[in-house]
Each structure stands twice: as structure tokens, then as C-alpha cells.
Amino acid sequence: MWSYLLWGQVALSQDHLPTDYLPHIFHKERREQFRALMPPNSVAIFFSNPVQNRSNDVDYKFHQDPNLYYLSGYTEPNGILVLFSEPQFNDGGQYKEILFVQARDPKLEQWTGYRLGTMGAKEKLGFEYVLTAQEFLQGKIDYSKFNKILLSKPNGAFTDNVNDSTDSYDLFEYLLGKVNSLNSIRKTDSNPDLNQPQNSNSRVDTKVTREIVAGLREIKTEDEMQLMRKAIKIAAVAQCEVMKAMHSNMSESEIQGIHEYIYKKYGSEAVAYPSIVGAGANGCVLHYIENNKTRVGNDLVLMDIGAEYHGYSADVTRTIPANGSFTEAQRTIYNLVLKAQNAAITDAVVGNDFSNLENASRSIINKGLMELDIIRSEEEGRKYYPHSVGHYLGLDVHDVSLKGKFKPNMVITVEPGIYIPEGSDCDPKWHGIAVRIEDDIHITEKGPINLSIDAPRTVKEIEELMKQSSVLNQLILPNLNTN
């Protein structure tokens, strides 16, 4: 339990916190792996994400840059991790990494929450050399002596908090000034741009950083897999509970709320991405997030929602009939997508890549759509199956990777779909049908493991589960008529 002085009084930190966070030895080992791949005489610099403003003086809940978290475990804003390819020396001895953190400030902490500070970062995160962000601005590093400066650009819009001289904007602007003085980087006044092409003689490099991190993050350790299994299990359980609670008078936002309530019930800190709940033709919008249809009626409801647990993402999609029973047309399209997904999952093996899954799923869907006279040639299939078959999964829902052959302990999604908008050039009985089935697959030496299998996938399983009663439907809430 942490304690500290707050305006002369002793204040205690939160207790009863989760105990299954990644251990600091995990992050230390990842730093050692990264360092082993750095060019000689180089320095790598990782920034916290900037705080994002929602409106006026209200900010969004902070979400750490996944690369910085992966290598440090630090979850606060205004931090910098610096790694050196070789040991550095000062009067206090040698060091090979520095973590810069936001300083303790009891007054601010009463408003915005606890900070680790330098001592907390040493104790909790296992770093030996920790300085404040203010010390980063004091020129602790001589960048001119390194052959390569490896940068990891933080995401998000940079805005300057005039009340904080050590926010992400100031820290990043300071670094840009230093490397600009080396004539190695370009930027505009308001938008630092690290994506300019870099030649082999450039001292500053962002490409190498991305490649090293992607190569590490695409392979999950058992510690990571435990968190991923938890996130995916939560998402699958939520799909089951929604199936039991679903009825025609529900709204899309109510369905979203049930999913996200289950997430919170099991300790998920957030959704992994904005929740998608699309009834009927709304499901044809691939990233539909308005979720404002007031009654789902007899439509199919496409629910693409994932829990985030300790930074790791789930991504599970189920499509179910709001009234509990598939119509013949809905069942036909659903089973075609399921057949394509099963074929793609079977091909999710070591040595294959996404092209194998793509070809397997697209061949089945195209042939099926032709047999149903929805398309006239296989080339038309992309009109109704417009996206790729899947992506990597991890700290990001669309996780980083080297995009090569599948290796053991990668985690991917497999998510074929068919979307037939109103007014499509086919029999109107198909109009408004949108089906996506998405599962999270662990690639192993023994073959693919479906981590989200707890959420029913077949028509029979879904209809059987939807017959069960739900305690959520026993809630009686007051009428909110405000007239």
C-alpha cells in the first residue's frame, strides 16, 4: 500500500487492486530484447501518448502508448523511456536506460490521481535510473554523440497545456529542437512529422524502431497470453449474456450497454475500440458506432465489440436475430459466412500467412454468392465482402507485426463477412442483411486455438441460447417521461 503526504496529511493509495498485471521482469526482458537489436552507438526514445482533450477543461481518460507500456509498464502521461545500445557512464556509475516520469505533486494528485514519481517507478517498475520529465528538458542526453537516434512517435494530437511545462507537447518539441539542430528531421510548426522518408545517412530513424517493436510484439509470451485469454473470455461471455437478454424492443445502445456492463463486471478497464452494434442495414456500415437505432425489431444485429484487459484487446463479433430466430434468407447468408470462417481458421497455421486465409474465405463466399444469384461473377464478390479476413491482435486491436508468415504464439482475428445494403442489385429478400463472424485465434505448433469459442457460432447454438431467460430482463426501471 502506498502512502504519501497530501497538504500535510497522510493519504493512502487505492487498495484491492488487481494482482495480475504484467510483472516488471516482463518489461525488463522486452527492453533487453529491443536493445540487442539496436544498431551500434544508438539511442532509442519512446514517449507517452499525449493527453487528449474532450471539450473545454475535460480530457479523455488517458491511454498509454502501447510501445512505451510494452517496454516499461509505465501507464502515466508525460513520460519518456530512453534506451542505449551500449552502457553510458556518469559520476554515479554506468546505466543503459533512463525512465523519465512526471514528478509528484500532491495538489494535482488530489484532482487527477496518484503519480508514481521517481521513487515509485523504481520500486514498482524495477528501474534503477529514474528522473523527472523536467530533467529531460535540462539536457541530460547529448544526442550528437550517437550514430542513430531511434524515435517512436507518440500518437494523437499535440496540444500545449500552458499550465504544464512538462506535458507531451513540450517534451516532444524539446527533442525535435535538439534533433533539428543536427539537421536530421523535418517538422511543421504545429504538427511534428516524423514520417518523412529517411535515407541511409539520416541520423534520426523511425522505421527501425517500428520494425524492432513489431517483431517483438507480434509474438506473445505466456504472461501476455494470460491477459489476452482473460480479455477474450470476458468478450465472449458478454456475447452470451446479450444473446439471452436480446429482444425486439431493445435499442442498439441498450445492447451496447449490456456488453460493456459485463466487461466492467469482470474487471475490464475499457472497450478495446468504439463498440459496433448495427441492426439490419446499419450492420452494412463496417465501423458503425452511432448505435442509436431505438428498436432493433426483427433484424439481424451485428455486434463487433471487444474488452480491453490490462492493455490487451479482444475483438469478437457475433451476428444474431433480434427476435431469436433466423429467417431463411438470414440463415443462408449466415451459414455461408460461417463456412468461410471455418475454412480460414483451419488455414491459420504456422508457415501460412493472411493470404491463405483470404483466399480460402473469399473463394467460398464468392462461389456461394454466385450460386444465390447475388453476384454474376466472382470478381463482384468484393462488393459484398469488402474488407480483409483478419488482422493481428494484442496491445492494439489492429496490432503491429512484420506481416510475414505465421509463427507460434501469434494471435490473429478471423472475420469474414457479407454485407448487402438496401437497394443492392439483387433480389430484395437479401437487402439489409449484414453478417460478420469474428473470432480470436491463437496460432500454435499444434494448430489454431479459437480463444473466443465460448460465444456460440452456429445457427442452432445461437437460437438455443437465445431461448434462455436473462436476469437483465427482470429489471424494472422508472419511466423517464420528462414532458
Side-chain angles (χ1 to χ4, degrees), residues 347 352-362 389 404-406:
D347 280 348
N352 277 353
D353 57 31
F354 271 113
S355 67
N356 299 97
L357 281 61
E358 189 80 22
N359 293 337
S361 64
R362 201 165 292 280
V389 71
K405 300 294 184 181
F406 294 148

Side-chain angles (χ1 to χ4, degrees), residues 26-153:
F26 166 87
H27 304 288
K28 181 178 180 180
E29 289 172 350
R30 303 292 82 71
R31 295 195 298 275
E32 293 294 343
Q33 289 180 325
F34 185 96
R35 186 178 292 107
L37 297 171
M38 292 173 65
N41 192 33
S42 62
V43 57
I45 307 168
F46 299 83
F47 285 83
S48 289
N49 270 344
V51 174
Q52 298 295 304
N53 181 257
R54 182 178 184 273
S55 179
N56 195 18
D57 59 350
V58 177
D59 296 326
Y60 286 104
K61 182 179 179 180
F62 178 72
H63 193 285
Q64 186 58 281
D65 173 72
N67 288 341
L68 179 67
Y69 175 73
Y70 183 75
L71 294 169
S72 70
Y74 189 60
T75 59
E76 298 177 16
N78 308 333
I80 309 101
L81 172 65
V82 180
L83 304 179
F84 303 96
S85 56
E86 291 86 21
Q88 307 295 301
F89 299 90
N90 61 15
D91 295 338
Q94 72 175 35
Y95 57 95
K96 53 187 177 181
E97 58 193 20
I98 309 174
L99 181 65
F100 294 90
V101 301
Q102 55 184 0
R104 297 296 309 277
D105 188 326
K107 287 187 177 182
L108 285 177
E109 289 177 57
Q110 186 176 40
W111 288 94
T112 58
Y114 309 107
R115 296 181 176 187
L116 286 176
T118 56
M119 295 304 296
K122 289 180 180 180
E123 181 176 342
K124 187 174 181 181
L125 304 181
F127 281 85
E128 295 182 6
Y129 195 17
V130 183
L131 302 174
T132 66
Q134 183 63 46
E135 290 174 289
F136 180 78
L137 300 175
Q138 295 172 358
K140 295 292 183 179
I141 302 171
D142 178 10
Y143 301 99
S144 66
K145 70 179 184 179
F146 296 101
N147 294 337
K148 283 288 184 181
I149 301 172
L150 308 181
L151 291 185
S152 178
K153 179 186 177 183

Side-chain angles (χ1 to χ4, degrees), residues 299-318:
D299 286 333
L300 286 180
V301 181
L302 189 157
M303 306 174 294
D304 185 341
I305 307 183
E308 182 180 292
Y309 190 79
H310 297 356
Y312 286 84
S313 299
D315 190 1
V316 181
T317 306
R318 291 294 183 265

Side-chain angles (χ1 to χ4, degrees), residues 67 210 213-220 392-403:
N67 288 341
R210 290 194 299 269
V213 171
L216 296 178
R217 281 176 52 185
E218 69 178 3
I219 306 298
K220 305 302 187 287
Y392 294 90
L393 188 66
L395 283 169
D396 283 302
V397 67
H398 294 155
D399 210 27
V400 296
S401 74
L402 296 176
K403 297 180 171 59

Side-chain angles (χ1 to χ4, degrees), residues 311-385:
Y312 286 84
S313 299
D315 190 1
V316 181
T317 306
R318 291 294 183 265
T319 305
I320 66 176
N323 62 5
S325 297
F326 288 86
T327 66
E328 181 180 352
Q330 291 170 349
R331 183 183 297 107
T332 299
I333 298 299
Y334 187 93
N335 283 333
L336 180 55
V337 175
L338 182 61
K339 181 180 179 181
Q341 192 205 27
N342 285 334
I345 291 174
T346 299
D347 280 348
V349 296
V350 173
N352 277 353
D353 57 31
F354 271 113
S355 67
N356 299 97
L357 281 61
E358 189 80 22
N359 293 337
S361 64
R362 201 165 292 280
S363 175
I364 289 171
I365 286 178
N366 289 347
K367 290 177 181 178
L369 291 176
M370 284 187 65
E371 291 173 0
L372 296 172
D373 200 31
I374 294 174
I375 60 175
R376 280 73 179 173
S377 69
E378 292 194 21
E379 289 70 28
E380 290 184 69
R382 189 166 289 277
K383 179 166 62 174
Y384 299 115
Y385 176 14

